[in-house]
Amino acid sequence: MTHSENFTKGFFKENAVFVLLLGMCPTLGVTTTAFNGLGMGLATTFVLVMSNIVVALVKDLVPDKVRIPTFVVIIASFVAIVEMGLQAYIPFLYEQLGLFIPLIVVNCIILGRAESFASKNSVLPSMIDGLSMGLGFAMALTMLGTVREILGSGSVFGLSFVPQGATTILIFVMPPGAFIALGYLIAGINALQARARKPKPVAAKAPEPLPAN
Amino acid sequence: MAKLPSTIFNMVMTLVIVSLLSGGSLALMNEATKEPIRQALYQKQLEAIKAVLPEFQNDPVGELANATSEGGQALECYPARDAEGNLLGMAVKSVSPRGYSGDIWLMVGFKADGSLHGVQVLEHHETPGLGTKMADSPFKDQFIGKNPADFDLRVKKDGGQVDAITAATISSRAYGDAIERAYQAFLQQKSAFEAQP
Amino acid sequence: MEYLLIVISAVFVNNIVLSQFLGICSFLGVSKKVETAVGMTGAVMFVLVLSTLATYLLMKSVLEPLGLEYLRTISFILVIAALVQMVEIALKKVSPPLYQALGIYLPLITTNCAVLGVAILTIQKDFNLLQGVLFAFSHALGFGLAMISFSGMREHLEYAEIPARMKGVPISLILAGLLSMAFMGFAGIGA
């Protein structure tokens, strides 16, 4: 796998949220606005990249049987660092994300990548892998947050586009809306992927008519 | 490099070293962020106080005192003073447990005579689009300038003078309840704050 | 009364899965059959209460007196991981069929955010020990209620005709949304 393939996989082919269905708790929990989704996605990306780097560095020094506990400690340390950093320098985001910041620890994506990728690869590919999966996760959360914010609050990244006091579809910023919006988003992405797969045989034939004349 | 074999010694050493390293780095990070976190909390508190009080010259956060509300909960009271140390008003961080889904926290600002100067919603879990309107005009404006001594903080439905938010009577009721608790705290603390300049 | 309020709030009003979004992975992952949902609920319930108890004691008797609150996240997750290991070993001995059924999901309880989430929430809410354990137990009950009713519905979903693109995960999520909407009807009970 080339570096660029490694980098792009997290956005579509192996997208954590839309394809692998991992990390669903923060995905549903914090995406009432696009900004929150992006913030959560970037915080997770930071932890993912750092833990992947460290795991790739120490993988040969860790005996197999204590591999998982060691990885968990590494991940938890970076999560605590993010937690303190956000609290000190971006208190607004810290309050918005609340409980879901310490819960980055138990985001299946992170331990999953450490175990299935970083513990078998060297530092550079592991870093790219973390960046790719993390940014793909951030992209998914921002998309879901944007959809929910548009429908539920009539704004994008806090910029309102409806008159004050206008009626919006409030259910989308409430818990049920999270499930429903994500359900339709995944269905839409499935449909897009199915369509992208179909035209391939057609595309292969397409060039023929041109040289015929 | 060959992988380290899983002997007991290796396993224990690995875990000990990893834990020490992570504990150490977290301790460093904790030291580094302690001051900024304190500063951020202080700033937030001060901004909420500024938003609900007339302009003051002292440091209200430094003069924090607690009053007890019904149920034994401590409410934080912050005095505002002019340059001579006269009491201009008081901000009370108040809470009502009677919200639609959980506690509603308010910062309530009183002038020295007990009339309301401003109210800010600090934290709540009310229904978006309904209960959340308590933070907006026109609901919040009806309280400004009123004195709880002669303004009944209950909603009209319960015989009071507050125009409830449509479809969010419970939130409106809790909002009034929190202000009432703040007013009780104001009465408790007022003389103490006036005594010490 | 206060205790009753904790229970009602945790089971219905602020349901851990449907309104707080904790434990979604197992909620979506192990809910295809009622049978496995029940097993998973049992395991989560056991681990949740036990780990809340352990983390509460750890926090109050070690971390807070020593001023080490910043080690909360890391020490909690280690305690939970160790507990899950113990439950796994115990289950293997006591009930091999259940162990077979839950398969890979048992180790995944460690990364079930419901467990760590409730442990942290208990600390944040300033509960005493009894309230904390009750809080954890009622959240586990809420988890079970959501999980088992959801799996019952999913069993019926198998026989429904659904547009091809909506099959599988999308329709399950929308079903969960409807269930969550039903639970919204409980809001305001505590007021």
Side-chain angles (χ1 to χ4, degrees), chain B residues 53-102:
Chain B
L53 282 180
E55 214 164 302
F56 49 82
Q57 307 293 329
N58 64 326
D59 169 27
V61 182
E63 288 189 59
L64 160 73
N66 280 333
T68 33
S69 102
E70 63 170 294
Q73 184 142 26
L75 298 185
E76 296 169 359
C77 302
Y78 304 93
R81 300 176 194 282
D82 62 15
E84 281 83 50
N86 300 315
L87 192 68
L88 290 173
M90 191 196 300
V92 182
K93 190 177 167 190
S94 180
V95 59
S96 170
R98 304 200 182 135
Y100 193 64
S101 33

Side-chain angles (χ1 to χ4, degrees), chain A residues 11 61 69 91 93 97 100 112 117 131 148 156 159 181 183 186 189 192:
Chain A
F11 292 91
L61 300 171
L93 189 62
L97 301 181
F100 285 100
F117 196 96
L131 211 54
R148 288 182 67 191
V156 179
L159 299 171
I186 292 179
I189 283 167
L192 277 181

Side-chain angles (χ1 to χ4, degrees), chain C residues 140-162:
Chain C
L141 273 185
F143 180 80
L145 181 64
M147 183 92 181
I148 292 166
S149 48
F150 184 58
S151 64
M153 289 183 221
R154 272 184 89 173
E155 282 192 354
H156 286 277
L157 208 56
E158 298 234 324
Y159 308 106
E161 272 188 50
I162 301 159

Side-chain angles (χ1 to χ4, degrees), chain B residues 5-99:
Chain B
S6 294
T7 60
I8 290 287
F9 176 78
N10 282 346
M11 291 198 287
V12 172
M13 280 312 285
T14 309
L15 287 184
V16 168
I17 292 172
V18 168
S19 310
L20 282 180
L21 280 179
S22 91
S25 52
L26 288 189
L28 283 180
M29 185 70 186
N30 183 52
E31 277 307 313
T33 54
K34 209 187 249 168
E35 192 48 34
I37 289 176
R38 210 189 54 78
Q39 201 65 37
L41 288 175
Y42 173 82
Q43 210 55 41
K44 195 185 155 225
Q45 204 77 313
L46 195 65
E47 251 147 50
I49 293 169
K50 268 187 192 154
V52 298
L53 282 180
E55 214 164 302
F56 49 82
Q57 307 293 329
N58 64 326
D59 169 27
V61 182
E63 288 189 59
L64 160 73
N66 280 333
T68 33
S69 102
E70 63 170 294
Q73 184 142 26
L75 298 185
E76 296 169 359
C77 302
Y78 304 93
R81 300 176 194 282
D82 62 15
E84 281 83 50
N86 300 315
L87 192 68
L88 290 173
M90 191 196 300
V92 182
K93 190 177 167 190
S94 180
V95 59
S96 170
R98 304 200 182 135

Side-chain angles (χ1 to χ4, degrees), chain C residues 29-44:
Chain C
V30 218
S31 57
K32 284 207 182 96
K33 285 209 175 82
V34 174
E35 205 187 337
T36 47
V38 172
M40 187 68 184
T41 303
V44 165

